[in-house]
Amino acid sequence: MSATSTRVELCKVSDVEIGGTRKVETGDLVLAVYNVDGEIFVTDDHCTHGPGSLSEGILEDDIIECNFHGGQFNVRTGEVVLPPCMEPVKTYKVTVEDGVVFIDV
Ligand code: FES
């Protein structure tokens, strides 16, 4: 963690079912939290292509499909998997402690 980063508590791991997603708002951030077979990943919730909310999309393994136009991102890296999305979505470094999910911002 760099000296300038801040750790922010998001939710409990148990709040996000395996294979599921959850939207978490904290401060100015609107985030999508994903549970990929028990491993937690976090991206911005807002799709980089338009008004889609990624936490309302469909998660399959580590790929989230935006429910707006069907674009896909890898939730581990934020990289685009399928257009029409062109820009990667921002990802966050996740720490889990005692079943609680934190990110560095
Ligand atoms: S808004 Fe997400 S694919 Fe278009």
Side-chain angles (χ1 to χ4, degrees), residues 47 49-52 66 68-71 84-85:
C47 181
H49 176 254
C66 178
F68 221 81
H69 305 110
C85 311

Side-chain angles (χ1 to χ4, degrees), residues 40-61:
I40 299 292
F41 298 94
V42 177
T43 70
D44 280 339
D45 183 55
H46 191 75
C47 181
T48 60
H49 176 254
S53 165
L54 296 180
S55 61
E56 292 172 16
I58 299 162
L59 184 67
E60 203 166 320
D61 295 327

